[in-house]
Amino acid sequence: MNAQEPWQWDESIWRGKVERVRAGRPLKPAAWPDGKRCAVALSFDVDHDTNELRDGGESIGAMSRGQYGNRQGIPRIMDLIRRHDLRATFYVPAVVALLYPGETRMFAAEGHEVGIHGWIHERNSILPEPAERDLQMRSADTLEKVAGIRPVGIRTPSWDFSHHTLEITRDMGLLYDSSLMADVDCHELLLDGEDCGVVELPVEWIRDDAVYFNMNRFSALRPYTPPEGVFDIFRREFEAAHAEGGIFQLTMHPHVIGYRSRIWILEELVRLIRTKGDCWIATHAEIAAWAKDHAA
């Protein structure tokens, strides 16, 4: 007998799928530290070679693009971060931490957050629950061993979030997740209708560099947005977040933003943020903790 099509489901089925993980109570704080108007959360998904390894590791060309992230992208990003005295969050797949341990240790040694980003950039939604649980826990253990600090937050690879991900995250005692898109500000996460204690710091594809610049000749995926257009989108997102007194969260990738014709986007954004004079640039963990403790 064939499985039912979604249009054949009873209400209990479609409602159960919708209500498994939901955005709960808003956690937008009444004020940010030191009276700052806006919080800025800059993040880098340090995928490197794992984008290709996840799919079998057959393309040396694709893995070389990942290696660019380590050889050129990260040095350019770190130069910018150091010159502007920024705090950022680096989400590192465990395999990347094992391939480039010195890089991962550097992030932590310079005061940045290192967050969970899967084992080999796997797709959670196709994993059996025991495998997803094992990989997420092993990833945390590996990052702690390499960086010397236990991660408190997770960003699922490709923001792929299964029906089991939040339960695993809760069971691990993590402070926050940064993979979902139900809001622009921090909020509680409900698991089967109950607050599970995990804070969500939302992401969005329009605040991600990869969607504008990714290139895959075999899937007809071509960059279609000029850097000036991407900067304008990011700038408008920041200006709106500042006007609302909320969070400007940005997701970047060393092998995407870390090119000579693109790194200026981040440089100009940082200059704009600095000119406001009232923005708190912090790690995702710091912002999630503040929101949790100071919700209006």
Side-chain angles (χ1 to χ4, degrees), residues 22-209:
R22 297 294 275 177
R25 182 173 66 99
L27 296 176
K28 186 176 181 179
W32 295 106
D34 300 321
K36 301 293 187 183
R37 177 169 181 80
C38 177
V40 174
L42 302 176
S43 62
F44 300 90
D45 292 2
V46 190
D47 301 338
H48 292 354
D49 313 63
T50 59
N51 280 323
E52 171 59 20
L53 287 173
R54 172 187 67 188
D55 293 328
E58 298 301 324
S59 173
I60 299 299
M63 282 190 286
S64 73
R65 186 178 181 219
Q67 191 180 14
Y68 177 93
N70 166 259
R71 291 174 64 90
Q72 287 284 325
I74 287 296
R76 294 179 192 279
I77 289 166
M78 296 308 296
D79 173 67
L80 189 155
I81 282 176
R82 290 163 184 152
R83 285 188 289 104
H84 291 279
D85 191 24
L86 302 173
R87 302 283 305 289
T89 298
F90 294 85
Y91 294 100
V92 184
V95 167
V96 169
L98 295 172
L99 284 169
Y100 308 100
E103 178 185 89
T104 302
R105 283 194 292 268
M106 174 187 65
F107 299 149
E110 297 193 21
H112 305 293
E113 178 189 4
V114 175
I116 300 168
H117 198 45
W119 178 260
I120 197 167
H121 213 263
E122 61 276 0
R123 294 184 176 93
N124 283 354
S125 61
I126 65 173
L127 292 176
E129 190 277 341
E132 182 182 357
R133 183 176 292 269
D134 173 62
L135 290 173
Q136 189 162 314
M137 295 179 71
R138 274 201 284 144
S139 297
D141 292 342
T142 299
L143 292 181
E144 181 179 22
K145 183 177 180 179
V146 174
I149 301 174
R150 185 76 177 176
V152 299
I154 181 171
R155 171 169 295 157
T156 59
S158 302
W159 302 340
D160 192 23
F161 207 96
S162 82
H163 282 253
H164 307 292
T165 305
L166 183 55
E167 185 176 2
I168 298 167
T169 299
R170 178 203 63 188
D171 293 348
M172 290 178 64
L174 296 178
L175 166 66
Y176 78 93
D177 170 78
S178 185
S179 314
L180 302 176
M181 309 181 194
D183 208 315
V184 291
D185 292 300
C186 287
H187 55 81
E188 293 177 346
L189 280 176
L190 305 183
L191 180 63
D192 293 328
E194 300 291 333
D195 175 27
C196 67
V198 178
V199 175
E200 179 64 25
L201 202 169
V203 293
E204 226 301 322
W205 290 114
I206 58 174
R207 299 191 308 277
D208 185 311
D209 60 357

Side-chain angles (χ1 to χ4, degrees), residues 263-279:
I263 193 70
W264 70 267
I265 298 172
L266 180 57
E267 184 98 41
E268 290 303 309
L269 274 173
V270 170
R271 288 174 178 162
L272 174 61
I273 291 165
R274 291 293 197 200
T275 61
K276 296 291 186 182
D278 58 358
C279 296

